[in-house]
Amino acid sequence: EVTVAYRNEELQSALKKKGYTVADNSHHLTGNAVDLAPTKGKTLDELAKAAKALVDSGVAKKYIVYPPKGGTTGHVHITMAGV
């Protein structure tokens, strides 16, 4: 499930005000990153393996796994290749 892809400066600022850690130079601001959460019946580990396959194939540049926190399922951040 896509939880966030492109976000504008307004949303970026709102997330900061809510206490989220967001990078000033986030690739989300240019539409070159996506955050994914596991869908029903899938695990964060399965999603991380899929993200690794994207990196290994050259489609993505890197991925970061964020573990569950505060009742969330956790998510995987993927930065696309060419960035």
Side-chain angles (χ1 to χ4, degrees):
E1 174 182 349
V2 175
T3 59
V4 67
Y6 172 77
R7 61 180 174 229
N8 60 26
E9 292 283 349
E10 184 178 328
L11 179 55
Q12 186 86 341
S13 294
L15 290 171
K16 284 182 183 180
K17 287 178 184 174
K18 287 184 176 184
Y20 290 95
T21 303
V22 293
D24 290 332
N25 60 347
S26 171
H27 290 294
H28 289 288
L29 295 170
T30 57
N32 293 313
V34 62
D35 290 348
L36 303 170
T39 57
K40 187 176 182 177
K42 297 295 179 184
T43 67
L44 188 59
D45 286 340
E46 289 172 310
L47 190 56
K49 287 177 186 175
K52 181 181 183 314
L54 290 174
V55 171
D56 290 347
S57 71
V59 171
K61 181 177 181 179
K62 69 176 184 176
Y63 72 99
I64 304 167
V65 178
Y66 291 92
K69 179 180 175 183
T72 69
T73 59
H75 72 277
V76 176
H77 169 91
I78 302 171
T79 301
M80 303 314 293
V83 177

